[in-house]
Amino acid sequence: MTNKYLYFVANWKMYGDLKALNSLDKVINFSKSIKHKKLKLIYCPPSTLINSLSNKLKNTKIEVGAQNSHESDHYGAYTGQVNSKMLKMLERVMLYWATLRIDRQVKIIKKLTLKLKVH
């Protein structure tokens, strides 16, 4: 299977705050100059910044990703977790997976991809 896009994913881990979003102005300007149509830039901030970042990048070619998603699509007492239903409520959010062990990733990513309809 080949991918038709070249992805550049920036995972912010647990860094950043609302002020840090202003540091993306240079990246936004740079992204406007990119002529390569098969290139995707994706920023994955902490969950607390997803909505604000999505709003800032609304009229750009830069996409927003989630760093993680709980495998259950049901709401429940999962402290500090977000699931695919919660992420789907936010527009323009892709799923970037960084925290599960490799042997579980493939199974769960397939399940979440269907729920989020990730391209």
Side-chain angles (χ1 to χ4, degrees):
M1 182 172 119
T2 59
N3 196 326
K4 59 184 178 178
Y5 293 102
L6 178 62
Y7 292 92
F8 288 93
V9 180
N11 183 349
W12 278 15
K13 304 290 184 194
M14 200 172 72
Y15 296 104
D17 55 21
L18 289 172
K19 291 178 186 175
L21 298 182
N22 293 329
S23 68
L24 290 175
D25 290 341
K26 289 182 181 178
V27 176
I28 292 169
N29 289 334
F30 170 74
S31 72
K32 292 176 183 176
S33 69
I34 296 174
K35 304 292 185 221
H36 196 292
K37 295 183 187 212
K38 303 272 182 175
L39 178 73
K40 291 204 180 255
L41 297 174
I42 305 167
Y43 270 81
C44 301
S47 296
T48 56
L49 296 176
I50 288 175
N51 196 42
S52 297
L53 183 62
S54 184
N55 288 335
K56 181 169 184 73
L57 301 177
K58 191 174 284 185
N59 297 316
T60 71
K61 297 176 187 176
I62 304 171
E63 298 187 45
V64 179
Q67 293 179 10
N68 197 6
S69 176
H70 192 277
E71 61 189 88
S72 173
D73 60 350
H74 302 288
Y75 299 116
Y78 305 105
T79 302
Q81 297 292 315
V82 295
N83 67 16
S84 59
K85 280 184 180 180
M86 298 165 99
L87 292 170
K88 198 170 184 178
M89 287 187 289
L90 302 170
E91 294 179 16
R92 304 182 69 241
V93 176
M94 297 181 69
L95 178 65
Y96 169 74
W97 207 268
T99 59
L100 283 182
R101 291 186 350 245
I102 295 294
D103 59 336
R104 294 189 61 212
Q105 282 185 8
V106 174
K107 175 183 162 195
I108 294 172
I109 286 174
K110 285 179 183 176
K111 180 179 173 184
L112 290 170
T113 300
L114 291 173
K115 292 176 190 171
L116 289 172
K117 294 183 181 160
V118 175
H119 44 269

